[in-house]
Amino acid sequence: MQKQKPALRNMFASEQWTSGKWATERKGQRANDIVFTPTFWNNVLLTLKIMGPLVKVLRLVDNEKKPAMGYVYEAMERAKLAIAAALGKDSNEYILVSEIIDKRLVPEKAKQDLIMAELIQWINQEGFFGLESAKRQHGKIARAEWWKKCSL
């Protein structure tokens, strides 16, 4: 959309637009106002700066061969660095985006404690991880995958 900014503005300023029926209708006037509002274009740029790096992570995750969680975390950290570079590390926008990413990426402390307890059970093959079916999979499935599929 940012690439089409001049073309969109030219379209709404053209005689063909201004003499057409859409220019006099409420929705057409609203669209015209939006295209000529600087705040709209600032928000488009902000969205691109934030979403560009996140879309790269989504492409990695959406790949047919699912990456290990370590790769996902690393990709998210690279995305945060790219967003920080685009917005400024000390900007309010970056701080807000970074907090949202961290909140989604890192579970609350109670969940972290549960993960660690179950990881220890996995390593020692105790509890549900001591079942014969779990033992057969012990060396075949990554710990994070097993926990994701079988944890309470």
Side-chain angles (χ1 to χ4, degrees), residues 34-105:
I34 289 171
V35 167
F36 286 104
T37 303
T39 307
F40 171 75
W41 294 106
N42 292 339
N43 287 334
V44 168
L45 280 175
L46 179 65
T47 302
L48 289 171
K49 288 177 182 180
I50 295 168
M51 293 307 297
L54 294 177
V55 167
K56 287 181 182 177
V57 175
L58 288 174
R59 286 184 182 145
L60 171 72
V61 173
D62 195 38
N63 197 346
E64 292 215 8
K65 184 179 178 187
K66 298 293 181 198
M69 283 306 295
Y71 289 114
V72 175
Y73 282 112
E74 179 186 352
M76 285 303 296
E77 286 302 316
R78 279 188 271 126
K80 282 176 54 178
L81 290 173
I83 294 168
L87 299 178
K89 188 174 184 177
D90 297 324
S91 73
N92 290 335
E93 291 89 358
Y94 172 71
I95 292 169
L96 177 64
V97 169
S98 179
E99 287 174 358
I100 292 169
I101 290 171
D102 288 344
K103 188 183 239 183
R104 299 280 183 177
L105 199 58

Side-chain angles (χ1 to χ4, degrees), residues 8 17 23 31 72 107-108 110 116 119-120 126 129 134 142:
L8 282 167
W17 171 263
V72 175
E108 60 274 357
M116 290 308 297
L119 180 60
I120 292 167
E126 298 170 341
F129 301 111

